[in-house]
Every structure is written in C-alpha cells, then in structure tokens.
C-alpha cells in the first residue's frame, strides 16, 4: 500500500521493535500509551496525536537515501542482535550520551537524521504551538469583548526531540514542505521493477517445475502407460 521500499523498511523496524521488546520485557512507546491513559482521567482533556504521519516520514526518509545507504541500513537492521538492558536505557536519558548518539547517527546517515529527527522536530513544534494557542471564551453577544484563557498543554515527546523543539519554538514554522512526498528516484524504480521481475520469474519457474514433475508423475503411472500404449496400437489395428 505504501510502496515496496517503505513496506520493507516498516517490516525491518517492526523487527527492531520486537528485539527491544524481547530484551527489555516492554514495548517501545509505553510513555505515549501511559499519556493516553492519564489524559482520559482529566475532565475536558483533549488528546492529540501530534507526530507526522508515518507513511510521509518513511517515504521522505527512503527518498533521501542513496541505493547503497538503503542497503547498508537494511543490512544493519536485519542483523541487529546487540543485547539491551534497562541500565542501557537509563544511560540514554543522560543528555551528554544522548547527544553523542545523535551525533553518531548524523555522521553515518545525515539525510536520514534530517528526515526522521530534524523535520519531525519542526512538525512536533508546530503541533505543540497550535495546541498551546489561547482559548477564546464563549460570548453572550457580538458586542461583548473577546476574552481568552491560556491553554494548558502537556507534550509527551521522545528525549531526542527536546533540543530541536526548544530550538524551533520561537521560529515562524511552515510544514508544507516537510509534508510533501518526493517522487521515487531512478534507483528505487529500478529496484522495484527488478524485485517484481524476480518474484514473477521465481513464480514462473516454480510453476514450471511443479508442472514438469506432475506430468512426469502422471506419465509414470501404470494406468497412464497402459492408456498410451492402447493409443499407439489404434492406428495399427
């Protein structure tokens, strides 16, 4: 539905999520589920999903990577087996270590960092600012002056996004550009057609082998051989 490369990348990230769940005994994103539960306990509280839609992020991330970067990233995700402990998670909460990890990601995949982190920093900031706008109180008549009360907002975001949100908070943000999905690159089109051709070729070869063996099996049956022998004798009679 979202394209071959996007679908494959989602499958690989689900594998990573399963690996983390197995190692820690808890699924990633628990803080967001907990926020949803807490919001339901607060009267008149509105719950907003403020992150950029996943298909947009995936397609922009894939389009930003070269063919070899895609292969390298997919290889790393396929063979992810490093042990993760709860102590490791606690260490990631340290600002210095978190910044170091982000710097390593920027160095290896700068375009991936831009689309998955930096662009989402902008989107998250924009959505938080929209939610934080003052609330206009209802008026009894048109002549009554407008009155506003400040909105109370609790934003639950990943730690890696906090510096970017702080940096972008006072900027005039426009999200139209980061919401567009670029057309697939030539390498993506070639890979897509090559993958389809490979799958169809394997299916065709499989059907041929199955058909060939089925014909051989049917011809080797005594009843079939007897029937064929009678057919060959008919012209002679």
């Amino acid at each position: 539905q979202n394209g071959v490369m996007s679908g494959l990348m989602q499958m690989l990230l689900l594998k990573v999520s399963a690996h983390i769940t197995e190692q820690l005994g808890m699924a990633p994103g628990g803080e967001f589920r907990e926020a949803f539960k807490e919001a339901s306990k607060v009267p008149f509280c509105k719950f907003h999903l403020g992150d950029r839609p996943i298909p947009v992020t995936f397609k922009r991330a894939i389009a930003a990577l070269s063919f070899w970067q895609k292969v390298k990233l997919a290889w790393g995700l396929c063979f992810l087996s490093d042990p993760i402990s709860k102590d490791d998670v606690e260490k990631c909460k340290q600002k210095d270590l978190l910044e170091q990890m982000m710097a390593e990601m920027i160095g290896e995949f700068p375009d991936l960092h831009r689309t998955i982190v930096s662009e989402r920093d902008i989107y998250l900031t924009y959505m938080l600012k929209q939610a934080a706008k003052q609330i206009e109180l209802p008026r009894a008549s048109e002549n009554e002056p407008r009155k506003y009360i400040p909105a109370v907002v609790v934003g639950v975001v990943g730690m890696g996004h906090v510096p970017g949100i702080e940096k972008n908070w006072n900027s005039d943000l426009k999200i139209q550009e980061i919401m567009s999905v670029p057309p697939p690159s030539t390498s993506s089109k070639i890979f897509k057609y090559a993958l389809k051709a490979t799958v169809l070729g394997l299916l065709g070869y499989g059907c041929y082998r199955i058909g060939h063996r089925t014909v051989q099996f049917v011809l080797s049956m005594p009843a079939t051989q007897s029937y064929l022998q009678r057919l060959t004798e008919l012209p002679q009679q």
Side-chain angles (χ1 to χ4, degrees):
Q1 184 179 358
N2 295 323
V4 177
M5 291 300 298
S6 183
L8 290 173
M9 194 62 67
Q10 288 189 48
M11 289 171 63
L12 290 173
L13 290 177
L14 283 172
K15 179 182 180 295
V16 174
S17 177
H19 173 70
I20 295 171
T21 304
E22 183 182 2
Q23 293 287 315
L24 299 178
M26 63 180 76
E31 65 272 32
F32 304 115
R33 287 186 285 273
E34 194 64 30
F36 180 77
K37 291 178 185 176
E38 292 299 318
S40 64
K41 300 175 185 177
V42 181
F44 308 108
C45 178
K46 293 182 180 179
F47 186 84
H48 295 281
L49 297 173
D51 204 348
R52 185 171 64 178
I54 290 177
V56 176
T57 298
F58 273 145
K59 288 180 180 179
R60 286 186 64 84
I62 291 167
L65 295 175
S66 67
F67 176 78
W68 294 114
Q69 283 179 320
K70 291 172 188 174
V71 172
K72 185 178 180 181
L73 179 64
W75 182 266
L77 293 175
C78 279
F79 295 95
L80 180 70
S81 58
D82 296 336
I84 305 170
S85 67
K86 292 185 179 180
D87 290 336
D88 295 329
V89 177
E90 292 300 319
K91 288 177 184 177
C92 290
K93 294 179 182 179
Q94 299 174 17
K95 186 176 179 181
D96 294 342
L97 183 60
L98 186 65
E99 289 178 352
Q100 180 185 339
M101 291 171 63
M102 298 295 282
E104 289 175 359
M105 182 181 175
I106 294 171
E108 194 166 5
F109 297 103
D111 294 323
L112 193 66
H113 179 273
R114 173 176 54 80
T115 52
I116 291 183
V117 180
S118 301
E119 289 182 359
R120 286 173 60 224
D121 288 345
I122 295 171
Y123 189 90
L124 289 166
T125 307
Y126 177 84
M127 295 300 288
L128 281 169
K129 290 180 75 172
Q130 292 297 309
K133 285 183 176 180
Q134 290 185 324
I135 302 170
E136 183 181 353
L137 294 174
R139 294 183 295 167
S141 66
E142 291 280 336
N143 298 326
E144 187 178 346
R146 297 177 185 272
K147 293 181 181 179
Y148 299 88
I149 58 172
V152 179
V153 180
V154 177
V156 182
V157 298
M159 287 186 66
H161 292 292
V162 174
I165 292 172
E166 292 176 346
K167 176 185 174 183
N168 292 308
W169 188 259
N170 293 318
S171 303
D172 182 21
L173 302 174
K174 292 179 173 61
I175 62 169
Q176 290 82 1
E177 184 181 346
I178 62 172
M179 289 299 293
S180 63
V181 178
S185 62
T186 304
S187 60
S188 297
K189 290 180 180 178
I190 293 171
F191 178 79
K192 178 181 177 180
Y193 290 128
L195 184 64
K196 283 186 176 180
T198 302
V199 171
L200 291 173
L202 289 172
L203 285 173
Y205 180 73
C207 291
Y208 166 74
R209 293 291 296 176
I210 292 171
H212 184 66
R213 289 185 179 183
T214 303
V215 170
Q216 284 185 329
F217 175 73
V218 171
L219 291 176
S220 65
M221 294 174 64
T224 306
Q225 290 183 354
S226 175
Y227 179 73
L228 290 174
Q229 187 175 1
R230 288 179 183 177
L231 286 177
T232 55
E233 291 175 354
L234 284 174
Q236 296 176 0
Q237 293 176 357

